[in-house]
Amino acid sequence: MKVLVAVKRVVDYNVKVRVKADNSGVDLANVKMSMNPFCEIAVEEAVRLKEKGVASEIVVVSVGPSGAQEQLRTALALGADRAVLVESNDELNSLAVAKALKAIVDKEQPQLVILGKQAIDSDNNQTGQMLAALTGYAQGTFASRVEVAGDKVNVTREIDGGLQTVALNLPAIVTTDLRLNEPRYASLPNIMKAKKKPLEFLPPDALGVSTASTVKTLKVEAPAARSAGIKVKSVAELVEKLKNEAKVI
């Protein structure tokens, strides 16, 4: 079974994000970039399926700038077999990425596609669902457990009321939640081996898709600074401040 995993290049979650002086976007100069944490979980799940003998090949794909090959090499070091980079410097939205991934799915014909449920930069939680709509594949989102059984994949989903298990006919699309697994670290030998694994570069035009955004960012602002909290000596004082200062009661 071939598994396709989509990964995204984002600002490392340990970095304090800064807004450009002209409010045109996020300042990425000299900022550490990493693989989206939810995408790391997706890669780990694919590798575990291969270790179980369920998956025969893992292909990782990213849509973004040439720098994303760094994150693809990381995925290769974690256990993926080969990588594809759809190279684009456009300001990508979820639908543009989904269309590019759909073209890759048509080209590769995987039985299972795994994505992180969302990226920590845009935080949209849209691409997996859009890809499922474009391909017509069954989808299991917010997965906390994935089990492949014959021509089906059983996905345990995290929902507001608890857990829901759905049985999907393959081929299918799964988006990963935080509790699905704990991603491993790449060993030095595997990092060296990853440098020799195949990495294919494709322009969007070669796939017959356009990554030009239909959405324009007008302004980006940092969240307002929160004022410091205070300590109160009694419940009565707390109620008084909630009533007269915060005006919430």
Side-chain angles (χ1 to χ4, degrees):
M1 182 175 77
K2 181 188 290 187
V3 179
L4 182 73
V5 183
V7 301
K8 185 178 182 182
R9 174 182 173 89
V10 299
V11 176
D12 188 90
Y13 68 92
N14 288 311
V15 172
K16 182 176 176 59
V17 176
R18 301 187 306 273
V19 176
K20 292 180 179 178
D22 60 359
N23 295 109
S24 61
V26 173
D27 187 2
L28 300 180
N30 301 314
V31 171
K32 181 183 178 182
M33 306 294 286
S34 300
M35 188 190 305
N36 177 48
F38 288 100
C39 298
E40 289 181 340
I41 295 171
V43 173
E44 173 66 23
E45 192 62 23
V47 173
R48 292 188 184 189
L49 288 174
K50 187 176 181 182
E51 290 173 343
K52 292 176 182 177
V54 175
S56 57
E57 183 183 22
I58 301 171
V59 182
V60 287
V61 59
S62 186
V63 184
S66 60
Q69 61 185 294
E70 178 186 351
Q71 282 65 50
L72 290 174
R73 291 292 180 193
T74 299
L76 292 172
L78 291 171
D81 298 295
R82 56 189 178 91
V84 179
L85 174 58
V86 181
E87 196 169 351
S88 173
N89 291 315
D90 293 330
E91 184 178 344
L92 299 167
N93 59 30
S94 303
L95 184 57
V97 173
K99 288 180 178 179
L101 291 178
K102 198 266 184 184
I104 295 294
V105 169
D106 291 342
K107 180 174 180 287
E108 294 289 343
Q109 293 295 305
Q111 284 71 52
L112 183 62
V113 182
I114 309 178
L115 308 87
K117 71 168 185 176
Q118 65 196 79
I120 61 172
D121 52 1
S122 57
D123 222 30
N124 287 330
N125 181 17
Q126 294 176 330
T127 305
Q129 292 88 329
M130 288 179 172
L131 179 59
L134 292 172
T135 58
Y137 288 3
Q139 60 176 306
T141 54
F142 317 125
S144 61
R145 188 174 182 182
V146 175
E147 293 180 331
V148 177
D151 60 350
K152 293 184 181 292
V153 55
N154 297 318
V155 178
T156 301
R157 305 178 60 240
E158 297 197 354
I159 60 176
D160 290 342
L163 299 175
Q164 177 190 56
T165 300
V166 293
L168 311 176
N169 292 323
L170 295 173
I173 291 172
V174 173
T175 69
T176 62
D177 214 329
L178 280 173
R179 279 156 289 280
L180 179 59
N181 60 49
E182 183 72 28
R184 70 192 69 191
Y185 291 99
S187 64
L188 182 58
N190 286 339
I191 292 174
M192 301 306 293
K193 291 177 184 176
K195 295 180 179 180
K196 297 181 180 179
K197 290 184 178 180
L199 172 55
E200 182 181 6
F201 294 85
L202 290 173
D205 293 345
L207 298 172
V209 298
S210 173
T211 54
S213 179
T214 55
V215 178
K216 182 179 179 181
T217 301
L218 300 179
K219 189 177 183 181
V220 176
E221 293 182 346
R226 296 177 62 180
S227 58
I230 61 172
K231 291 183 179 180
V232 295
K233 295 180 180 179
S234 66
V235 174
E237 184 182 356
L238 172 62
V239 171
E240 188 273 330
K241 289 186 177 295
L242 289 174
K243 185 176 181 180
N244 299 319
E245 294 185 17
K247 298 187 185 298
V248 295
I249 59 173

